[in-house]
Amino acid sequence: TLSGGRRRRVLVMLSRFPWRPALSELIGGRRGGVRCNPSRSPLRARAQSFHTTLSESQTYVHEAKKSRFVAVASPVSSAEEAMEFVRDLGDSQASHNCFAYKAGPAQRCSDDGEPSGSAGIPILSAIEQESLDYVVCLVIRYYGGTKLGKGGLARAYGAAARECLKAAERIQVRPKARCEATIGFDDIGAVFGMLDSRSSGEVTRCQEDRFVDEGVVVTVEVDEEVERELAGDLKRATSGRVVLRRLENNEDDGR
């Protein structure tokens, strides 16, 4: 679930809209989510050395023929966190809770009972058109008594998501690689000095060093764009004795 502080901030933003019923349980109990086919997404993601995401959660309200569309967008670190956000903030008393998220290669959208393609895909398109990644956007609709038609719904959901994302502050995040190196006792001074000399944020020590018979095992997070350069510097400084090795997810921590 969302952390207490982060949930409170979002709820405070939403509390500005007194007509909104109380937030409650996940939308999926009443209607199943629709998974988007990434290959059919309106825009395809492009590889780059960093991604742009939101710095904090943002809300926006769009009205169309007396229906209210409350958009809530937030940065996330994974698909699982995106779904937690939807579960925590989806409103079972609303007419529909539609959402989309993009978290690296993972993306998903849901029409939540609206006509197919009229809600989730427009929200996902807004995320991609704003060149954002690791973002979730939930659009909650309160029916106003007038049907909008499929085209009107697509425009309303897209507009709510797009304006919400446009209003949000953004940050650029560089992708990190988690790596480890075993450093012999004779090389500790040179290697630690090299790691400390790297500019702030490029290399981060991310857990306690582990002592082994050969020396000490150091785990670091490295900007992907400098990973190869750092590996080369370590080899040259130690005559090939220290090798930087990227960790796979299942090797991470807790060995």
Side-chain angles (χ1 to χ4, degrees):
T1 59
L2 298 176
S3 66
R6 182 173 167 193
R7 179 180 173 80
R8 282 193 295 274
R9 287 195 296 274
V10 175
L11 292 176
V12 166
M13 286 189 291
L14 289 173
S15 69
R16 299 170 187 166
F17 313 116
W19 40 262
R20 187 181 192 278
L23 295 170
S24 54
E25 57 202 43
L26 171 64
I27 59 179
R30 296 180 294 115
R31 309 178 186 91
V34 178
R35 187 177 295 276
C36 286
N37 183 344
S39 65
R40 298 178 61 188
S41 175
L43 296 175
R44 302 298 301 275
R46 293 184 294 274
Q48 53 185 9
S49 60
F50 61 87
H51 69 263
T52 303
T53 189
L54 307 183
S55 62
E56 60 184 4
S57 299
Q58 178 69 41
T59 60
Y60 181 83
V61 179
H62 176 78
E63 295 194 20
K65 295 185 178 179
K66 297 184 179 179
S67 282
R68 290 187 175 94
F69 297 81
V70 181
V72 191
S74 180
V76 294
S77 60
S78 65
E80 292 76 17
E81 186 179 347
M83 289 308 303
E84 288 179 0
F85 183 87
V86 172
R87 282 193 289 269
D88 280 355
L89 296 184
D91 184 4
S92 63
Q93 299 182 53
S95 306
H96 303 275
N97 294 263
C98 305
F99 69 87
Y101 67 75
K102 188 173 186 303
Q107 58 186 35
R108 181 180 176 184
C109 61
S110 169
D111 294 317
D112 189 39
E114 295 281 32
S116 179
S118 67
I121 287 178
I123 299 170
L124 181 60
S125 295
I127 293 173
E128 294 186 313
Q129 287 166 1
E130 292 298 312
S131 301
L132 294 169
D133 204 353
Y134 291 92
V135 167
V136 60
C137 184
L138 169 67
V139 181
I140 307 164
R141 181 190 180 192
Y142 298 97
Y143 184 57
T146 302
K147 293 184 178 181
L148 301 180
K150 186 171 181 178
L153 287 171
R155 289 189 291 274
Y157 278 103
R162 185 169 56 254
E163 294 305 317
C164 182
L165 295 170
K166 283 181 179 294
E169 293 186 6
R170 307 180 183 200
I171 56 173
Q172 289 185 345
V173 179
R174 297 189 179 278
K176 298 283 188 178
R178 182 163 286 208
C179 305
E180 75 170 21
T182 301
I183 306 166
F185 292 110
D186 292 340
D187 295 318
I188 286 177
V191 171
F192 279 27
M194 181 178 297
L195 295 177
D196 291 342
S197 69
R198 284 281 170 174
S199 62
S200 176
E202 279 189 351
V203 180
T204 305
R205 304 269 286 281
C206 52
Q207 69 180 62
E208 291 288 332
D209 301 335
R210 292 186 292 114
F211 286 93
V212 295
D213 292 342
E214 298 84 358
V216 60
V217 179
V218 175
T219 305
V220 294
E221 281 190 346
V222 186
D223 282 357
E224 285 188 351
E225 61 184 18
V226 301
E227 179 186 0
R228 182 176 297 182
E229 176 188 337
L230 177 62
D233 288 347
L234 290 173
K235 278 188 176 182
R236 285 188 292 273
T238 62
S239 301
R241 291 185 296 275
V242 174
V243 176
L244 191 68
R245 184 174 74 91
R246 182 182 284 217
L247 296 174
E248 301 298 333
N249 288 339
N250 60 1
E251 297 180 272
D252 196 12
D253 295 337
R255 290 186 164 203

